[in-house]
Amino acid sequence: MSKFIFITGGVVSSLGKGITAASIGQILKSRGLKVFMQKFDPYINVDPGTMSPYQHGEVFVTADGAETDLDLGHYERFIDENLSKHSSVTTGKIYQAVIEKERKGLYNGATIQVIPHITNEIIDRLKKAAKTSNADIIITEIGGTVGDIESLPYLEAIRQARREFGYHKTLYIHNTLVPYLKAAKEIKTKPTQHSVSELKSLGIQPDILVLRSEQKISEEAKEKIARFSDLKRNKVFESLDVDVIYQLILSLKEQKIDEAILKHFRMNKIQEAKLNEWEVLVDKIRHLDKVVNIAIVGKYVQLHDAYLSVVESLNHAGFKHGVKVEINWVDAENVNNENVKEILSSSNGIIIPGGFGKRATEGKITAINYARINNIPMLGICYGMQLTLVEYARNVLGIKDAHTIEVNKNTSNPIFIKNIDNKKRLGAHTITLKENTKINNIYNTNNILERHRHRYFFNKKYEEIFLNDNNIVLSAYSQNNDILEAVELKEHKFFVAVQYHPEFISRPLKPHPLFLSFIESIIK
């Protein structure tokens, strides 16, 4: 049976529980264990798919088509494993499932309550994750902070999980803040003491503490916290601010957090961790001596997390090529023909990311036009591909009112239209690349598997018009040849746009080929 690690947070939000969870996941995976990760989110939305990116950052899509919290992106990038719909659990999903069962009479007329029905449903999600993943260890992050009313059913469920699964098959890690007061020049342990006390009042005795701090925590302070928390000193670990995020993997390993975990689980004769590649990567990142500036022209640029996976993918490619990527955040709503040169002339490359809706599309089209005409490397993603074809249709093929019907439902020349069943296309799909095209050379294969999140499709009525042009290439289609997946220009330094989201499968140690080629076109 799988072992379960539950990670809770205390004192304040944004402590980096997700990064802590992912780092522990990578350490355990490097020891030869199969790891699967989950996020329990206390919001009542069923999933983030209909939430504004301003509310919750990007929507990360798993290979099986689940629209999830951006933390799953962190998990996948750190542990280099594809997660699934069983990784993303929200209060909305839990209540929806319970209500559907009640409507079908599956509770035999019982009064439905938080305990046991909601908590049982939460525990059932743990069991499903274990069964479907067949993992040695399931790491589950509990969203929110101990003390939040929204998180109480999850905390009660993981409390019950120890009773059901057993002491040595469940492990509680509490991630909490140890602030440093500059005026007093002191580390303060009281907030952590209160947080642990509150967790214990809910029936959960943490087995391990991970202390987040800006300053190194003294042995005396750690001993004080351990004593108050009824823990041995060797169960208290620190998570200091780091200049490179992946350093946390190495730091927690150096403190031997994995030994504490495996000892609790009574898992013996497990191979030693192999983290050499991460050590090399961290050292390389610290010595990047060249800089490239990439403009991300989007509609949610005020919240950078809305394009988190795109930024991470650019960074991965930059690491590989030995360059630091700096982002020029460009609000597409403010871009027009008069100022586009001023806004973009200092950038070495341009990304047109995904997004839904009408707002800011003309600014994106203007940026695409600027990149095309001035031979500036450009990568269009999802909506970015749609608008790339709209720009080309208007300005090269002479189809003046060309547009996607997502923006203009009354256009007489809809380059992109809705699919028949009006559903979003989600998850991983096989794509066939045309031979002897740029994208074919980039991937060095004829078939690829990429993740999608879109609801509009290229109108094949215009296919022949594009195919008759000598410069633009419709270079990739879905496996059934019914959906256009990529376009490119022959006469251009780098001008590629894809319908899918390559950023979802890029990894720090395995940068995505498209981002690698994009950065390479800038620095060569």
Side-chain angles (χ1 to χ4, degrees):
M1 179 184 172
S2 301
K3 310 290 197 300
F4 295 88
I5 297 175
F6 302 108
I7 300 185
T8 57
V11 184
V12 295
S13 59
S14 302
L15 277 181
K17 291 195 308 294
I19 301 301
T20 298
S23 297
I24 291 170
Q26 172 53 230
I27 296 169
L28 294 175
K29 181 186 175 182
S30 74
R31 296 199 64 161
L33 297 169
K34 183 173 175 55
V35 175
F36 187 79
M37 301 192 69
Q38 282 184 306
K39 174 75 181 289
F40 284 175
D41 267 309
Y43 52 75
I44 301 175
N45 304 68
V46 173
D47 60 46
T50 58
M51 294 171 70
S52 166
Y54 287 131
Q55 291 284 316
H56 217 63
E58 76 173 6
V59 176
F60 185 84
V61 178
T62 57
D64 63 350
E67 294 178 292
T68 73
D69 179 85
L70 57 79
D71 276 325
L72 266 69
H74 284 309
Y75 302 161
E76 286 204 2
R77 286 187 286 271
F78 271 68
I79 69 172
D80 190 21
E81 294 286 344
N82 289 338
L83 300 178
S84 72
K85 62 184 179 181
H86 299 294
S87 298
S88 180
V89 178
T90 69
T91 296
K93 283 181 180 176
I94 295 297
Y95 274 82
Q96 184 182 59
V98 169
I99 290 169
E100 286 177 355
K101 288 178 181 179
E102 185 274 334
R103 292 289 81 190
K104 292 176 181 177
L106 299 181
Y107 295 118
N108 297 319
T111 299
I112 309 305
Q113 298 175 294
V114 173
I115 302 171
H117 301 96
I118 297 300
T119 50
N120 283 351
E121 187 68 29
I122 294 169
I123 292 171
D124 189 52
R125 301 305 170 105
L126 295 171
K127 294 176 180 176
K128 284 180 179 177
K131 183 178 180 180
T132 57
S133 69
N134 197 31
D136 298 306
I137 295 178
I138 309 290
I139 302 176
T140 303
E141 176 192 351
I142 313 300
T145 305
V146 171
D148 294 346
I149 191 169
E150 296 93 342
S151 300
L152 287 175
Y154 293 108
L155 295 173
E156 171 60 20
I158 67 171
R159 183 195 70 78
Q160 293 180 25
R162 171 156 286 181
R163 178 175 176 270
E164 181 161 347
F165 301 146
Y167 178 82
H168 290 291
K169 292 182 179 178
T170 53
L171 176 75
Y172 301 118
I173 297 178
H174 192 48
N175 197 177
T176 182
L177 178 68
V178 180
Y180 175 76
L181 299 186
K182 292 182 181 178
K185 296 182 179 179
E186 287 182 344
I187 285 281
K188 292 296 182 182
T189 65
K190 190 65 70 178
T192 289
Q193 293 177 36
H194 283 309
S195 183
V196 171
S197 180
E198 185 154 13
L199 191 61
K200 290 168 74 174
S201 74
L202 298 171
I204 297 174
Q205 163 65 50
D207 302 302
I208 287 175
L209 293 181
V210 176
L211 310 177
R212 177 71 186 272
S213 180
E214 296 177 346
Q215 299 285 334
K216 191 158 184 65
I217 303 170
S218 68
E219 283 299 313
E220 181 183 7
K222 289 178 184 175
E223 179 59 41
K224 182 178 179 181
I225 290 170
R227 189 183 310 116
F228 182 87
S229 304
D230 293 327
L231 290 174
K232 292 182 179 179
R233 164 62 191 88
N234 64 0
K235 298 296 179 66
V236 178
F237 302 85
E238 65 180 10
S239 170
L240 299 179
D241 289 355
V242 291
D243 57 335
V244 178
I245 193 171
Y246 311 114
Q247 174 62 41
L248 185 57
I249 298 171
L250 305 178
S251 175
L252 290 175
K253 172 55 188 169
E254 186 177 353
Q255 296 173 69
K256 299 183 179 180
I257 196 169
D258 51 326
E259 297 293 343
I261 292 170
L262 295 177
K263 184 176 181 181
H264 178 90
F265 286 145
R266 293 180 172 176
M267 299 177 77
N268 304 314
K269 298 180 180 179
I270 305 297
Q271 71 180 41
E272 284 302 311
K274 299 175 181 178
L275 297 171
N276 294 350
E277 287 184 298
W278 292 97
E279 292 172 356
V280 171
L281 178 64
V282 169
D283 183 67
K284 188 170 187 177
I285 294 171
R286 286 178 173 151
H287 295 90
L288 299 176
D289 55 0
K290 296 179 181 178
V291 176
V292 295
N293 184 285
I294 305 298
I296 295 181
V297 185
K299 62 188 288 190
Y300 305 113
V301 295
Q302 289 82 0
L303 182 66
H304 298 173
D305 275 358
Y307 304 108
L308 180 61
S309 290
V310 173
V311 174
E312 289 299 304
S313 299
L314 288 168
N315 286 333
H316 302 162
F319 302 156
K320 185 72 173 181
H321 286 299
V323 297
K324 180 181 180 181
V325 175
E326 291 186 349
I327 305 297
N328 174 20
W329 294 100
V330 177
D331 187 341
E333 204 163 18
N334 298 329
V335 177
N336 54 54
N337 290 325
E338 285 68 43
N339 64 18
V340 63
K341 182 177 181 180
E342 178 186 352
I343 292 172
L344 296 177
S345 61
S346 62
S347 295
N348 306 113
I350 297 170
I351 297 280
I352 309 295
F356 295 131
K358 178 179 180 179
R359 185 171 65 83
T361 53
E362 290 303 320
K364 291 181 182 180
I365 290 170
T366 300
I368 292 167
N369 176 263
Y370 179 82
R372 181 176 61 80
I373 291 175
N374 292 282
N375 200 30
I376 297 171
M378 189 212 76
L379 175 60
I381 298 171
C382 197
Y383 207 12
M385 187 192 91
Q386 297 182 29
L387 298 179
T388 294
L389 286 171
V390 168
E391 187 279 328
Y392 202 84
R394 285 184 188 178
N395 298 312
V396 179
L397 302 181
I399 307 173
K400 296 304 179 185
D401 67 337
H403 226 311
T404 164
I405 63 167
E406 181 161 12
V407 176
N408 183 0
K409 291 179 173 58
N410 298 316
T411 178
S412 58
N413 288 295
I415 305 300
F416 278 80
I417 56 177
K418 273 193 175 182
N419 60 329
I420 296 173
D421 59 10
N422 202 27
K423 291 181 181 179
K424 273 189 282 190
R425 186 169 179 243
L426 295 164
H429 297 271
T430 301
I431 298 165
T432 300
L433 310 179
K434 284 187 179 180
E435 292 186 0
N436 302 318
T437 58
K438 181 173 289 186
I439 199 167
N440 181 225
N441 292 332
I442 288 171
Y443 282 92
N444 195 30
T445 186
N446 293 333
N447 293 289
I448 58 174
L449 189 66
E450 292 279 358
R451 298 184 195 177
H452 297 71
R453 184 180 184 248
H454 65 99
R455 57 191 179 192
Y456 289 83
F457 297 76
F458 178 62
N459 187 349
K460 282 208 165 187
K461 171 183 172 182
Y462 295 88
E463 187 173 47
E464 188 173 349
I465 298 173
F466 281 94
L467 289 173
N468 287 335
D469 184 86
N470 290 325
N471 194 25
I472 196 164
V473 180
L474 309 184
S475 52
Y477 284 84
S478 62
Q479 193 173 27
N480 296 327
N481 202 39
D482 56 344
I483 300 171
L484 180 65
E485 296 279 10
V487 299
E488 62 190 58
L489 291 185
K490 294 178 183 176
E491 303 300 325
H492 199 283
K493 195 172 184 181
F494 186 99
F495 195 91
V496 176
V498 296
Q499 182 65 79
Y500 51 89
H501 286 268
E503 70 271 23
F504 290 150
I505 63 172
S506 185
R507 309 284 189 253
L509 298 176
K510 298 177 183 176
H512 193 283
L514 272 178
F515 287 93
L516 275 174
S517 184
F518 174 67
I519 295 297
E520 183 182 22
S521 72
I522 294 169
I523 63 177
K524 68 179 182 182

